Amino acid sequence: STMQAVYNSLIVHMTDAGGSQGEDELAWLSAVQCAIGNGGAMIIMTLLGIADAKHSHQTLAHDQVERDFFWSAVWFAVLALPLIYIYKEDPPAEKSPRKHGGLVSAARSAFAAFKLTLQNREMVKYMVATLIFSDASSTLFSVYVIFGAQVGISNQTILACAIVNRWIGLAGGFLWYFLCRVIGARMCYLVAMVLTLVAAVMCSMVRTDLHYQVMNIVLAVAGAGWYIFSRVLLARLTTRANTAQHFGFMAGVSRVSGMIGPVVYGGVVLLAGARAGLVSLAVLAAPALVLMANVDFEVGKQCAESVPIPEAGDDP
């Protein structure tokens, strides 16, 4: 969560996030990052032979799992560590004598930032909608493979779809970017949310390998969309000076709210079965779609600009 918050904040600082050109740049950077991430995962999964892995009794061999985890970590290091030397930051500005660091000062600043964020009604609406939706969609991504295995989808199909999912994410990032230039980031995010709801319902009706494959395509396309545009729209609601606080706040709250989806899904599964549990995730995400459609991003940005987030050392 910390890495994600820092990364999102950094890519906003690499663009002129205050205007339409900055939003276009941010969408492009997010699309490229989505493509690189999925492309890298697709390459390592292909090299490790995931789709052709030997399995018995619906499980992978233990040594195969250990080997996959090890080489995935190595692959992550190969792709990520060079960024330490590629990315160049401006030297930090000198702080006034009255501003001092320390854990207590940073905590007071974070609490003051939290209170000010809650005064921005549009920001709160966006965050609530995103947190509910991401919770439901993350739960769906966590359980749909298990559900496929439970209803008799072959391991070969499940493993092949895992790689196809990455291919779709690679191409989908760029397709979403070009669609964004036509209908805008907000509409793209709403479309991605609708596709996720559709995928949840489709998953509940999966009975054959073909059903699973079609559902996997819809879910992969939707996942690339909400991954890209959730950060683009949050950047529209914040200022460059406040990106770290807002992205950090989102990352922190998401850890707390992340239990809602699993609890809802698990409760419905116990009462009515796994298929009903998948439909419940669509029901959970539906209010988030309505709330997101009613966010006024212009008003939210004006509010964020008029109430700056305090820095560490400022009086709360």
Side-chain angles (χ1 to χ4, degrees):
S1 298
T2 302
M3 180 182 68
Q4 194 173 49
V6 172
Y7 174 79
N8 289 336
S9 179
L10 285 176
I11 64 171
V12 172
H13 278 270
M14 293 173 65
T15 64
D16 180 20
S20 58
Q21 182 178 358
E23 182 174 295
D24 184 77
E25 292 177 351
L26 183 56
W28 174 251
L29 278 175
S30 298
V32 171
Q33 191 273 337
C34 182
I36 293 175
N38 281 284
M42 175 269 299
I43 291 172
I44 189 65
M45 291 171 74
T46 302
L47 292 177
L48 291 172
I50 295 295
D52 302 319
K54 303 299 182 182
H55 54 82
S56 60
H57 305 294
Q58 299 294 316
T59 60
L60 293 174
H62 186 71
D63 60 336
Q64 169 82 29
V65 175
E66 289 183 341
R67 185 167 63 252
D68 291 350
F69 271 109
F70 172 77
W71 286 111
S72 295
V74 172
W75 187 245
F76 176 83
V78 169
L79 293 178
L81 292 182
L83 292 178
I84 298 175
Y85 304 98
I86 295 174
Y87 180 74
K88 303 296 181 182
E89 287 186 288
D90 295 331
E94 294 185 3
K95 296 184 177 181
S96 60
R98 74 180 186 87
K99 293 184 179 181
H100 53 85
L103 182 60
V104 175
S105 177
R108 293 176 62 190
S109 174
F111 182 68
F114 169 73
K115 292 192 295 184
L116 290 175
T117 298
L118 294 181
Q119 297 177 13
N120 187 336
R121 182 178 179 181
E122 304 307 315
M123 175 69 79
V124 172
K125 287 162 60 177
Y126 171 82
M127 287 186 171
V128 171
T130 299
L131 290 172
I132 294 175
F133 172 76
S134 63
D135 192 19
S137 60
S138 297
T139 304
L140 175 61
F141 269 90
S142 299
V143 302
Y144 85 97
V145 173
I146 299 174
F147 174 77
Q150 289 176 338
V151 297
I153 305 303
S154 66
N155 264 29
Q156 183 179 3
T157 296
I158 291 175
L159 295 173
C161 283
I163 297 180
V164 171
N165 191 301
R166 299 303 180 177
W167 277 102
I168 294 173
L170 190 155
F174 295 112
L175 293 176
W176 277 114
Y177 168 73
F178 291 115
L179 183 62
C180 174
R181 303 194 67 177
V182 177
I183 65 176
R186 176 178 177 171
M187 186 58 65
C188 282
Y189 194 25
L190 294 175
V191 171
M193 294 175 77
V194 171
L195 288 177
T196 304
L197 268 65
V198 171
V201 176
M202 290 177 64
C203 188
S204 71
M205 297 186 292
V206 164
R207 297 186 183 279
T208 67
D209 285 12
L210 178 60
H211 293 164
Y212 186 88
Q213 292 165 355
V214 174
M215 179 277 301
N216 181 73
I217 293 173
V218 175
L219 189 58
V221 172
W226 61 258
Y227 177 83
I228 293 171
F229 297 110
S230 60
R231 68 179 63 170
V232 173
L233 293 181
L234 181 55
R236 187 190 289 186
L237 282 170
T238 188
T239 62
R240 289 171 66 90
N242 301 336
T243 53
Q245 289 90 343
H246 286 152
F247 279 111
F249 178 67
M250 279 286 290
V253 175
S254 66
R255 297 305 95 189
V256 179
S257 67
M259 68 181 70
I260 299 176
V263 168
V264 171
Y265 176 78
V268 175
V269 168
L270 289 175
L271 294 174
R275 295 187 186 277
L278 291 165
V279 175
S280 73
L281 295 178
V283 174
L284 175 63
L289 175 62
V290 176
L291 190 59
M292 182 64 68
N294 286 280
V295 175
D296 191 326
F297 288 91
E298 295 301 323
V299 172
K301 184 61 174 283
Q302 292 173 6
C303 182
E305 292 174 342
S306 63
V307 184
I309 298 295
E311 298 180 5
D314 287 346
D315 295 328

